[in-house]
Amino acid sequence: MKKLNKLIITEMLLNEVPCTVCAIVQDQKVIELRLEPSGKKNTLNNIYVGQIENIAANIQAAFVRLSDSVNGYLPLNQCTNAIYTDGRKSGQPLRPGDQLLVQINREAMKGKLPALTANLNFSGKYLVLTTGNRKIGFSNKLSKEESSLLNKWLEEERSLPEREYGIIARTNAAEASKELEMLKKQYEKVAVHGRNRTCYSLLYEAEPFYLAAVRDVYTRDLDEIVTDIPEIHEKIFAYLSEFQPDKLEILKRYQDKLLPLYKLYSLEGVIDEVCHEKIWLKSGGFLVIQQTEAFVSIDVNSGKYTGKKKAEETYRKINLEAAAEIARQIRLRNLSGIILVDFINMENPDHQDELFHVLQKYLRKDPVKCKAIDITPLHILEMTRQKVRRPLIEDLRELSAK
């Protein structure tokens, strides 16, 4: 019997705060969870006319005011093709007082300001239109056949003279159609007409985070989108009708009032799991996941394992099971930055190579850029994951403080 892959969108009380929750369920396990207080507006990917307050040359960054109460942090290497509102050309050094278009590309986390970029991105389901890189490129996850087909389809765009934007075809871009025209209209409205707007103007407001989840999930592998919130069902229906009418059949409205949707998928248990450092494995081993200021530490332990085989084979089995669970926990908790994993030591180099490649296989399924680097002489596996949103535990702590 086929195990369904689902996107669940529901509402639940967390510390007496009503929250909208999005969960990706794969093979009956929740592998990703996003939440937001109901009614709160998402600012990730918003585009503003910002003003440079000062430049810190020692850290190669500028501090930008977005409104009377909000500031952001702009690395100078994120200003490749900056768009100024005073007519200045891009490529010139930034100066205090300059007004330019900036986009929030990483949420504020751990007391740090939101990170900004002057290289604007307009993301769709299939394509990303960008002002930072004016080339036309393709995701390396696309097959040669898909890339070849898209290359022909984008030939007209490639030949446009003085094109001030680039296009990146995403993993699921083989199904792209009218989306490019929609992204170009967004670009015109923001990046072209935005040059004449006043300072601190909000030029582009990101869609609600649950619509971003619908957009970002690879629907070719998705069997159902399920929600029990009528307003959200209507908005997703409208989105799919415009961009993916063939996927309307997978949108389901859940209406069983006796068993809430969050109970049906045990989301309370998943949130409780995220709040604990220790995670048990089926083999009897366990993980200890700790977030430090500088990195994430994950320790693999043999625990209650009672296998009768030789120690080396025992450790191999626990480590391979741990690799799958580590990839899930990293995505579920939205851990990022430097991640160090202390697997159980194995003497056989073939087993070490196998473990490294198995973990890489699981990490490739993560939509956020994630890479295993190497295994050090101390048997510590080093990996990195791109920072986009703050860790889920920070969202939960903020709710508990309210």
Side-chain angles (χ1 to χ4, degrees), residues 48-316:
Y48 300 83
V49 177
Q51 184 171 42
I52 304 293
E53 288 209 315
N54 63 291
I55 296 170
N58 58 325
I59 58 172
Q60 287 294 291
F63 293 93
V64 183
R65 182 170 290 278
L66 304 178
S67 70
D68 290 338
S69 58
V70 181
N71 281 38
Y73 165 88
L74 175 65
L76 298 185
N77 62 5
Q78 291 291 312
C79 302
T80 311
N81 293 305
I83 299 171
Y84 296 92
T85 60
D86 59 3
R88 291 183 66 208
K89 292 184 178 180
S90 61
Q92 301 180 35
L94 291 181
R95 304 171 305 196
D98 282 343
Q99 295 181 15
L100 71 165
L101 275 57
V102 290
Q103 184 171 34
I104 297 178
N105 67 347
R106 193 180 73 211
E107 293 178 326
M109 56 181 73
K110 293 183 182 177
K112 295 180 180 178
L113 296 173
L116 308 175
T117 178
N119 303 327
L120 311 181
N121 286 324
F122 302 89
S123 296
K125 181 78 178 177
Y126 309 111
L127 306 169
V128 178
L129 189 149
T130 174
T131 65
N133 185 339
R134 295 176 181 174
K135 296 179 181 179
I136 291 179
F138 305 95
S139 164
N140 56 17
K141 293 184 179 180
L142 288 169
S143 68
K144 289 183 179 179
E145 292 76 17
E146 288 173 323
S147 296
S148 177
L149 180 65
L150 283 163
N151 197 34
K152 292 179 181 177
W153 180 64
L154 291 168
E155 195 59 47
E156 184 178 343
E157 286 292 325
R158 194 188 299 276
S159 62
L160 288 176
E162 300 182 2
R163 176 169 40 81
E164 294 188 337
Y165 57 83
I167 299 169
I168 302 168
R170 304 175 77 177
T171 304
N172 43 0
E175 302 169 27
S177 55
K178 61 181 179 180
E179 186 175 83
L180 178 58
E181 290 308 311
M182 181 270 289
L183 294 178
K184 287 170 71 173
K185 286 178 182 176
Q186 286 184 356
Y187 162 78
E188 289 281 338
K189 181 179 178 181
V190 174
V192 178
H193 301 303
R195 302 168 202 240
N196 302 317
R197 296 285 297 277
T198 57
C199 195
Y200 311 143
S201 294
L202 173 60
L203 304 180
Y204 172 79
E205 187 170 15
E207 68 271 271
F209 86 111
Y210 57 83
L211 271 187
V214 172
R215 183 195 69 202
D216 293 340
V217 173
Y218 194 13
T219 50
R220 185 185 294 179
D221 299 327
L222 199 61
D223 299 292
E224 287 185 4
I225 300 171
V226 186
T227 183
D228 55 357
I229 307 171
E231 298 82 3
I232 288 180
H233 183 274
E234 289 176 12
K235 289 180 180 179
I236 296 175
F237 183 89
Y239 174 85
L240 292 176
S241 296
E242 184 172 2
F243 298 110
Q244 289 183 279
D246 59 315
K247 292 298 180 182
L248 280 169
E249 62 184 26
I250 72 172
L251 177 61
K252 310 294 182 184
R253 169 94 179 274
Y254 183 82
Q255 300 185 69
D256 187 345
K257 295 182 179 179
L258 296 177
L259 182 62
L261 196 54
Y262 71 87
K263 291 277 189 185
L264 181 63
Y265 288 95
S266 306
L267 297 187
E268 290 171 315
V270 175
I271 289 171
D272 184 61
E273 175 185 333
V274 169
C275 294
H276 286 81
E277 292 184 347
K278 182 182 284 190
I279 300 295
W280 286 99
L281 305 173
K282 288 182 179 179
S283 63
F286 63 89
L287 310 177
V288 177
I289 304 172
Q290 295 177 315
Q291 173 83 61
T292 73
E293 190 65 30
F295 58 86
V296 176
S297 164
I298 303 178
D299 189 29
V300 182
N301 295 271
S302 57
K304 300 176 183 177
Y305 186 80
T306 56
K308 297 180 181 179
K309 295 182 180 180
K310 295 179 180 178
E312 180 75 10
E313 185 58 28
T314 298
Y315 299 154
R316 173 180 172 271

Side-chain angles (χ1 to χ4, degrees), residues 20-36:
T20 304
V21 180
C22 289
I24 298 176
V25 181
Q26 198 171 83
D27 294 342
Q28 300 180 329
K29 271 191 173 184
V30 176
I31 61 169
E32 187 173 319
L33 196 67
R34 303 187 199 179
L35 59 88
E36 216 173 65

